[in-house]
Amino acid sequence: MDPQLWWYLARVGGLMSWWLLSATVLWGLLLSTRLLGPRPTRIRLLDLHRLLSLLSLAFLAVHLLSLVADSWVDLGLWQLIVPFISDYRPVAVAWGVIALYLAAAIQVTSLLKSRIPYRWWRGIHTTTFALFVLTTVHALTAGTDARAVRWTGLLLAAAVAFLSTYRLLAGRRMDDRADEARTASAPARQPIRRELPGSRSVVVHRIREIVDDVALVELVAADGDRLPAWEPGAHIDLGLPSGRIRPYSLCGDPADPTTYRIAVRRAPAPEGRGGSAEVHRLRAGQKITLGRPRNRFPLVLADQYLFIAGGIGITPLLPMIRAAAAADREWRLLYGGRTHTAMAFADELLALDGDRVRLVPQDAEGLPDLGAALAGTRPGTSVYCCGPDALITAVQQTVAADFPDRHLHTERFGGTAPEPAPTGHFTVELRRSGRILPVAADRTLLDVIREAVPDAPASCEEGVCGSCELRVLSGTPDHRDTVLPDGERTRHDVIYPCVSRAHGEHLVVDL
């Protein structure tokens, strides 16, 4: 093998490891500064942070192995373990050796985060800044790519300095506000009026009843500006005048940046919790707030689609159907409802392509024939279903039993009723603060968490939207949400505290 190859591999491995480490530091700071959203940090964003650090370690291994194999540099294993004994630039190599130990300590404590005191992990994790400085100095003094490192290092140092300062200042303000909220809420135990993360003010441009008990609401920005872009399947969190926050699927045109459309069915008591009735009481010109669009039900590219809707579950499917038709894809819709007069957008769908739409009003035709609809599709067809829990369950069972080669995507518009707690009360530990809180059998985990963290995010509070997602560090979650698909309901690393509880007596969450 060409002797120079090892030297080039060492340079590539070292530079890639340093760049990925820098990206890890910057990403961690972005998460902690809340520039990417309020706490708690989304699970996928934390996973990306961990992935960057693991990739950095992988390239570090390439760097070290290549140096040992390189006969020109002539570095032995001991010289890479013990600082200041190298014959090749001993001081420069020593910075890298010390950085290696720091990286090992940070990675080990991160892997053991759930088993060690939080303050230990935090203290060692903070040395990442020292690791960043040491690796930068090592890259500048030990290699032959000093110019690339110098300019990159200056930009990274400026970004780290800015984010660190922002984190310090913003963190203090947020902590002060949290303390004030806790102090204000403690004596009276009043419900906390929550603000939507990243919310903006909108105006009800128009509201009208389109079918029995279903109101179509059109929203425009209060400042006349464009609204955030969205894709079929997305929903928004609506901040109502009472302080309630409710998620609703967008059913308008994603190409229209000026208007959002939602359709809301008025849920009768005791089925509803007041949100839908409050939406029906809105009037044109009234101001409310909404959060940014979120999409847990995206439309994937496919040659053939079967859409199955139950009642108001047609709302997220409507933009999907329009998109499939515009892309000239093969599609069909099976749409069931209580009565024909209660089926929203029926006329609009029939006008789009009446031959592809099958309306099944229950009072006249009974329940939709799911088997027949699925039998008319080819293997590989994407099946999208939204509606009540009974419809979702029936579709899942039919697909699993007779059509396993179809790709099923589901979204419920209402949560399932919580089952009795199998263990009654339990305790939850908030690892970041060290607080241990009792959760009584008649209280939700989210309610208890809000006593300590008043701004803990949540939206639907029915286990549907996933906005209250928390990382579990220890214990076994009792999943009662409808966010997790069937294949992930044994996960131990995440919980949706608005409806889910714990199997066992103790749960530890990353909060």
Side-chain angles (χ1 to χ4, degrees), residues 473-490:
L473 302 178
S474 180
T476 304
D478 174 15
H479 295 296
R480 304 180 179 194
D481 60 272
T482 58
V483 179
L484 293 175
D486 290 340
E488 297 184 19
R489 303 199 66 78
T490 57

Side-chain angles (χ1 to χ4, degrees), residues 1-14:
M1 183 178 290
D2 187 350
Q4 292 185 2
L5 177 62
W6 295 114
W7 175 236
Y8 285 120
L9 281 176
R11 291 168 61 186
V12 170

Side-chain angles (χ1 to χ4, degrees), residues 481-505:
D481 60 272
T482 58
V483 179
L484 293 175
D486 290 340
E488 297 184 19
R489 303 199 66 78
T490 57
R491 287 178 60 177
H492 289 183
D493 62 329
V494 67
I495 192 170
Y496 300 94
C498 63
V499 294
S500 297
R501 300 181 69 80
H503 287 297
E505 298 180 353

Side-chain angles (χ1 to χ4, degrees), residues 271-355:
E271 176 187 345
R273 295 183 298 126
S276 63
E278 188 173 359
V279 171
H280 278 250
R281 291 195 297 269
L282 294 175
R283 293 293 176 262
Q286 190 170 355
K287 283 189 177 182
I288 55 177
T289 60
L290 57 79
R292 295 187 64 85
R294 291 181 290 127
N295 199 344
R296 290 181 173 271
F297 193 42
L299 181 66
V300 300
L301 184 63
D303 292 328
Q304 185 182 38
Y305 297 96
L306 172 62
F307 301 101
I308 302 175
I312 200 61
I314 190 63
T315 50
L317 300 183
L318 184 59
M320 295 184 184
I321 294 169
R322 295 198 201 101
D328 199 25
R329 302 286 175 174
E330 187 177 346
W331 64 272
R332 291 194 175 275
L333 168 66
L334 180 64
Y335 181 8
R338 290 179 287 112
T339 64
H340 185 84
T341 58
M343 299 173 72
F345 307 111
D347 294 339
E348 181 178 341
L349 289 161
L350 290 171
L352 185 64
D353 193 333
D355 293 335

Side-chain angles (χ1 to χ4, degrees), residues 12-246:
V12 170
L15 283 174
M16 288 299 298
S17 178
W18 178 66
W19 281 330
L20 286 166
L21 172 65
S22 303
T24 304
V25 174
L26 289 176
W27 191 251
L29 283 170
L30 279 172
L31 297 180
S32 64
T33 54
R34 302 179 180 86
L35 286 177
L36 297 178
R39 290 179 186 264
T41 305
R42 307 302 294 173
I43 301 301
R44 291 182 179 86
L45 299 184
L46 286 170
D47 288 340
L48 177 58
H49 178 64
R50 292 176 173 85
L51 175 62
L52 288 172
S53 66
L54 290 174
L55 288 175
S56 176
L57 290 177
F59 278 101
L60 176 61
V62 172
H63 178 62
L64 295 175
L65 292 173
S66 300
L67 286 175
V68 172
D70 185 10
S71 58
W72 182 73
V73 177
D74 194 25
L75 283 175
L77 183 60
W78 282 108
Q79 292 172 312
L80 295 177
I81 295 177
V82 181
F84 301 108
I85 67 171
S86 170
D87 295 330
Y88 174 82
R89 301 185 183 181
V91 176
V93 173
W95 300 135
V97 174
I98 297 171
L100 175 63
Y101 285 118
L102 268 182
I106 292 168
Q107 188 62 37
V108 169
T109 52
S110 294
L111 294 174
L112 297 176
K113 183 180 178 183
S114 62
R115 295 178 174 84
I116 62 176
Y118 175 74
R119 63 182 181 276
W120 293 7
W121 170 85
R122 183 179 180 85
I124 295 176
H125 212 71
T126 305
T127 63
T128 305
F129 295 104
L131 174 62
F132 173 71
V133 172
L134 285 172
T135 52
T136 302
V137 173
H138 172 71
L140 285 169
T141 58
T144 58
D145 302 287
R147 184 173 182 180
V149 173
R150 185 181 301 113
W151 286 108
T152 308
L154 286 173
L155 292 174
L156 290 171
V160 169
F162 166 75
L163 290 172
S164 300
T165 304
Y166 184 93
R167 170 70 183 96
L168 180 64
L169 298 177
R172 286 180 176 175
R173 287 198 300 270
M174 292 298 290
D175 291 342
D176 290 344
R177 268 182 283 199
D179 290 341
E180 291 172 2
R182 278 192 289 270
T183 302
S185 63
R189 297 270 183 182
Q190 295 296 322
I192 298 164
R193 185 184 179 92
R194 294 173 286 120
E195 297 295 332
L196 277 169
S199 65
R200 65 183 299 167
S201 180
V202 293
V203 175
V204 178
H205 176 63
R206 184 181 305 157
I207 180 169
R208 58 191 176 93
E209 188 172 279
I210 52 174
V211 293
D212 296 345
D213 290 329
V214 175
L216 180 67
V217 186
E218 296 182 4
L219 305 168
V220 297
D223 56 8
D225 203 355
R226 298 162 66 95
L227 293 168
W230 60 281
E231 295 181 348
H235 70 268
I236 54 170
D237 293 323
L238 214 61
L240 299 172
S242 66
R244 295 185 179 97
I245 297 175
R246 296 291 185 267

